[in-house]
Each structure stands twice: as C-alpha cells, then as structure tokens.
C-alpha cells in the first residue's frame, strides 16, 4: 500500500527521501474517499540518501535552473520533478535535489523540493561595502555567454587602476529578480562560501537613473539602455507614491528580468526631479506686427480659398439659416 502526502504535512522536518523511516497518520477525505499521510516525522534517515542543496536561478515556462551550492554553475530541472506547487517557487529559493545523468551525460536535477534548513550560502559576511562595476552579467541575463557566474570589479572614485574582481551568482543579489547589466555600477559586500572558501559578492544593490521618454495610459518608457533596447518599459502602477510622471522627469528605478519571457522592465520607479515643462514659444515680433497691420481691404493679405462648399445632412449647400449680426458684449 502506498499513500501520498503533501509538503505542508511535514512537521518541521526535511523532505523525506527514499529509504527513510518515518512516522505518520492517515487522513481520509469523506467526499472522495482518498487517503493521504499527515503529521509526518522522520525517525531515521537512510545513510544512502545524498541530497544536494542549491538555489533557484531561473524559471521558464515548464522548466528552470538551479544554482549549485558552489555558485559556479547551474543545473536544469523540469517542473514535473518539483515536489509542491511550482507557482509558489521563486528565484533565489533554497532547494534540495538529487543529481542524475541523462542522454549524452547531461546532468539534471530530480526530486526537487524547497529546503527548510538552508537559507544562507555563507557562514561569514564581511561588513565592508564596496563600489564596483559589473564586468559580466549572469547567464540568465546574457544566455549567449558560456560562463554561468557574473563578475564585478571593485572601483574607487577618481582612480583608473583596476581593482579586485569577484564572482557573483543569483544568491548574491539583494533583490533576486534584479537584472544586473554589464557596465552598471553596484554596491556590494563580500561573503565566504563555506564549501569552497571562495569569496563571493553578496547583497549587491544598484539604483539606476534615467529620464521619462513617454507615458501612455497605463504604461510608459524610460530612456535607459538594456541589452539591445534603448528604452525601458514600465507600468504606471510601479511608480511610487502615485506620482503622475511626465516626459522629461528624472527617475530612479530597479530593473527586473521576466524569467519566462526574457524581457526586462523597470519597477520601484521614483521621481527624483521634474523635467522642464514645455511652454509654447511666443509668436515672433515680425509676425505679430504683420497681423496687426493687416486689414480686410489689404490686397496683399492672406486669403482663404474655398475648395469645396460645405453640405448639410439634406445635401443643401452653404448655410440655410441667415446669420445675425451681433453686437459685442450683448447676449440675446
């Protein structure tokens, strides 16, 4: 007899694996008669069970990628291998999985489940905050590059000397949906990866600035280059404090990557300053003087030529009702 179970029924214990000895109760739904295991506890973990830990790096239509615990590569997994509701899975979530090899010795993850025991990639995070420039983005941002990791170089204001270069992964981002682009300036700390002793950029943040190009109803565009595009899309509901943006306004924002479509957009849009308001240019003096000097008897004055006579609904031409001559300031 086999009985299914739901992840929510685990009482603070890790995901049961093949060979584990567990204790549980059986619950039966009266309406359907289906049985399931509840109040699950692991009594003895099988010594043959070897689970790997990683972090969700990307989510596509029906598959995703997991960043390994060394943060130097990513592993494919299909949603059918995930234990739980895929809609509740987010980029940056810690997961447990088994590694397997398929056709062509390609490695993939199976029996993927959220991890309840791992939340941080490092035992030590250094307090110093550095300023740096992104030399290489993550592969999820630039799928054409061979390396998974991104690279950031430490920079100092007013110095042209090259600084130390550190790798970063999805776990390095303060906002896991952020889309760091090559050449962008960021602030970050450093951490030490427990398994390898490698120093990794951590808690990386960036604020971009640009000017509003246009606003159209519920969306707009910012003058900011991302990838091949010269303008960055944003939705009006992403504008903070309910401010109505106008073309020319200077704004700060974050860039997020839609993992399923591969397109970037702006979020958390904050107006820094208002742009110059467009004011109608006054008429040139020569034109004003010309208009004032024109009389109805002036033969050289501009004339209006009727190309086609207006027609009413009954196909009558011109105006059928005689117009009255009115005096200025007098209302009938």
């Amino acid at each position: 007899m086999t009985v299914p179970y739901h992840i929510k029924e685990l009482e603070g214990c890790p995901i049961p694996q093949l060979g584990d000895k567990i204790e549980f109760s059986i619950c039966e739904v009266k309406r359907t008669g289906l049985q399931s295991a509840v109040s699950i506890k692991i009594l003895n973990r099988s010594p043959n069970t070897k689970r790997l830990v990683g972090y969700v790096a990307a989510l596509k239509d029906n598959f995703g990628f997991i960043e390994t615990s060394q943060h130097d590569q990513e592993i494919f997994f299909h949603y059918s291998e995930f234990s739980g509701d895929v809609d509740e899975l987010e980029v940056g979530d810690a997961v447990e999985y088994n590694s397997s090899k398929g056709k062509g010795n390609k490695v993939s993850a199976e029996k993927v489940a959220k991890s309840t025991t791992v939340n941080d990639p490092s035992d030590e995070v250094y307090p110093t905050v550095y300023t740096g420039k992104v030399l290489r983005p993550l592969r999820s941002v630039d799928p054409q590059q061979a390396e998974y990791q991104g690279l950031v170089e430490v920079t100092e204001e007013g110095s042209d000397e090259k600084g130390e270069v550190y790798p970063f992964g999805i776990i390095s981002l303060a906002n896991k949906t952020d889309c760091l682009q090559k050449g962008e300036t960021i602030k970050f700390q450093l951490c030490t990866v427990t398994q390898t002793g490698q120093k990794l950029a951590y808690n990386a943040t960036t604020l971009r600035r640009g000017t509003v190009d246009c606003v159209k109803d519920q969306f707009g565009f910012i003058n900011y280059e991302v990838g091949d595009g010269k303008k960055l899309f944003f939705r009006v509901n992403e504008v903070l404090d309910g401010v109505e943006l106008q073309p020319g306004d200077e704004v700060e924002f974050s860039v997020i990557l839609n993992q399923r479509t591969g397109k970037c957009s702006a979020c958390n849009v904050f107006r820094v300053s208002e742009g110059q308001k467009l004011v109608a240019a006054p008429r040139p003096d020569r034109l004003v003087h010309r208009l004032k000097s024109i009389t109805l008897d002036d033969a050289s004055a501009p004339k209006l030529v009727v190309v086609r006579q207006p027609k009413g609904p009954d196909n009558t031409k011109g105006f059928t009702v005689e117009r009255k001559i009115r005096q200025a300031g007098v209302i009938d």
Side-chain angles (χ1 to χ4, degrees), residues 138 168-180 201-204:
L138 290 173
F168 68 90
I170 194 68
I171 203 64
S172 303
L173 308 181
N175 179 3
K176 302 300 184 290
T177 59
D178 208 343
C179 178
L180 297 185
Y202 190 66
N203 200 25

Side-chain angles (χ1 to χ4, degrees), residues 206-218:
T206 180
L207 278 177
R208 290 94 168 179
R209 283 200 177 193
T211 56
V212 177
D213 178 70
C214 63
V215 180
K216 301 177 181 179
D217 194 17
Q218 297 301 311

Side-chain angles (χ1 to χ4, degrees), residues 19-32:
D20 289 350
K21 186 177 181 180
I22 62 174
E23 180 183 82
F24 61 94
S25 300
I26 293 181
C27 174
E28 182 175 322
V29 180
K30 291 183 178 181
R31 184 171 59 84
T32 61

Side-chain angles (χ1 to χ4, degrees), residues 159-175:
S159 175
D160 295 332
E161 294 184 5
K162 292 185 177 181
E164 292 289 333
V165 176
Y166 297 99
F168 68 90
I170 194 68
I171 203 64
S172 303
L173 308 181
N175 179 3

Side-chain angles (χ1 to χ4, degrees), residues 71-295:
H71 313 289
D72 57 354
Q73 59 181 323
E74 57 185 354
I75 295 179
F76 170 90
F77 77 98
H78 194 273
Y79 288 167
S80 60
E81 291 290 342
F82 179 69
S83 301
D85 187 354
V86 175
D87 292 334
E88 296 180 359
L89 195 61
E90 296 181 355
V91 173
D93 283 349
V95 293
E96 294 179 349
Y97 63 95
N98 291 341
S99 178
S100 66
K101 288 187 177 181
K103 294 181 180 180
N105 285 330
K106 291 186 178 180
V107 179
S108 63
E110 60 182 19
K111 298 180 181 178
V112 182
K114 277 191 177 183
S115 174
T116 58
T117 57
V118 179
N119 294 309
D120 200 301
S122 170
D123 290 335
E124 185 176 10
V125 177
Y126 301 97
T128 305
V129 178
Y130 299 91
T131 300
K133 182 174 69 173
V134 177
L135 300 180
R136 187 178 72 201
L138 290 173
R139 186 157 55 198
S140 58
V141 176
D142 183 8
Q144 302 301 320
Q145 70 184 34
E147 302 84 359
Y148 164 70
Q149 283 183 321
L151 293 176
V152 57
E153 179 187 11
V154 177
T155 58
E156 293 185 9
E157 189 174 354
S159 175
D160 295 332
E161 294 184 5
K162 292 185 177 181
E164 292 289 333
V165 176
Y166 297 99
F168 68 90
I170 194 68
I171 203 64
S172 303
L173 308 181
N175 179 3
K176 302 300 184 290
T177 59
D178 208 343
C179 178
L180 297 185
Q181 302 285 324
K182 181 179 178 180
E184 285 189 323
T185 300
I186 65 172
K187 291 188 179 298
F188 65 97
Q189 296 170 263
L190 291 176
C191 71
T192 300
V193 180
T194 305
Q195 293 186 2
T196 63
Q198 180 189 41
K199 286 187 177 180
L200 191 76
Y202 190 66
N203 200 25
T205 58
T206 180
L207 278 177
R208 290 94 168 179
R209 283 200 177 193
T211 56
V212 177
D213 178 70
C214 63
V215 180
K216 301 177 181 179
D217 194 17
Q218 297 301 311
F219 65 93
F221 292 90
I222 298 172
N223 293 312
Y224 190 81
E225 186 172 348
V226 176
D228 297 332
K230 302 293 183 182
K231 292 178 173 41
L232 185 64
F233 173 88
F234 73 93
R235 295 190 180 278
V236 170
N237 57 13
E238 288 290 350
V239 181
L240 302 179
D241 302 326
V243 175
E244 292 186 6
L245 295 179
Q246 301 294 329
D249 288 352
E250 185 179 15
V251 292
E252 285 184 348
F253 52 91
S254 298
V255 176
I256 58 173
L257 174 66
N258 187 315
Q259 296 284 340
R260 289 179 168 82
T261 64
K263 295 182 179 180
C264 292
S265 62
C267 69
N268 301 325
V269 182
F270 173 74
R271 185 170 67 187
V272 177
S273 62
E274 294 186 27
Q276 291 184 343
K277 302 301 180 185
L278 298 177
V279 179
R283 288 179 173 178
D285 292 339
R286 57 181 180 79
L287 178 59
V288 174
H289 178 74
R290 172 67 174 158
L291 292 175
K292 287 182 178 180
S293 62
I294 291 177
T295 63

Side-chain angles (χ1 to χ4, degrees), residues 295-311:
T295 63
L296 295 178
D297 298 331
D298 190 353
S300 63
K303 292 181 172 54
L304 179 66
V305 179
V306 177
V307 178
R308 183 176 60 193
Q309 288 285 352
K311 291 184 179 181

